[in-house]
Amino acid sequence: MDPFVTLTASAVPLDIANIDTDQLLPARFLKKPRSAGYGNFLLHDERKLGFPLDDPAYAGARVLVTDRNFGCGSSREGAVYALVDGGFRCVVAPSFGDIFAANAAKNGLLTITLPEETVAELRRQLQEAPGVAVTVDLPAQTLTGPDGQPLPFAIDPFKKECLIEGLDDVALTLRLQDAIDAFDRADAEARPWLVPGA
């Protein structure tokens, strides 16, 4: 996955609480291959006239600033795919569904948890100045909003390391390739009858 170090990009506010994974990517689209572009189906059934994600003023936004309990519901990794394929690298909310947040980190999507009143104020600023950029500095653990005020956020150190280095679960496993190869060689010597074709 692409490393996440710093990001300066426009942000889109979404004043909806309790957005679940079925809203993020309705189940009927899961039968399509991801190559079809899950971003095309992001919040498909929620989009009505005037929906912020369809507002040209927020076109190209890479940060989503939303309300509490974002990504609740089932453990649908496709919900994260829809956000990532839709161009988002960061979601800011007062709280997240636990499984969604774990899936997000494994796919290069940073979730930032800030106090509810802080997030509400950030959304207000974004609504007053559509298309304005925010800056996320992951090493410094700060989000700087339209008012220039850096907002510190907490993140698990392991999750932070994986995002900065662009390490998904496969890449983490491959870091142990030398140890895996050494084990395979030793095991083949100790139990040659298990080696295919031996």
Side-chain angles (χ1 to χ4, degrees), residues 23-94:
Q23 290 171 289
L24 287 167
L25 182 68
R28 66 186 180 278
F29 297 117
L30 291 171
K31 63 185 176 185
K32 295 182 178 291
R34 186 175 176 190
S35 59
Y38 277 11
N40 296 322
F41 314 120
L42 175 62
L43 290 164
H44 183 276
D45 297 347
E46 308 305 313
R47 296 193 182 208
K48 298 171 179 64
L49 189 63
F51 194 73
L53 269 63
D54 296 326
D55 187 334
Y58 298 112
R62 310 219 49 212
V63 179
L64 179 64
V65 182
T66 187
D67 208 339
R68 67 188 177 280
N69 202 27
F70 186 84
C72 56
S74 68
S75 58
R76 182 173 303 174
E77 197 166 14
V80 174
Y81 296 161
L83 285 158
V84 171
D85 294 353
F88 289 99
R89 288 301 311 270
C90 178
V91 181
V92 182

Side-chain angles (χ1 to χ4, degrees), residues 176-192 194-196:
L176 303 172
Q177 188 65 58
D178 290 345
I180 293 168
D181 291 342
F183 172 84
D184 285 345
R185 286 190 300 271
D187 190 55
E189 290 177 13
R191 301 185 301 169
L194 293 178
V195 178

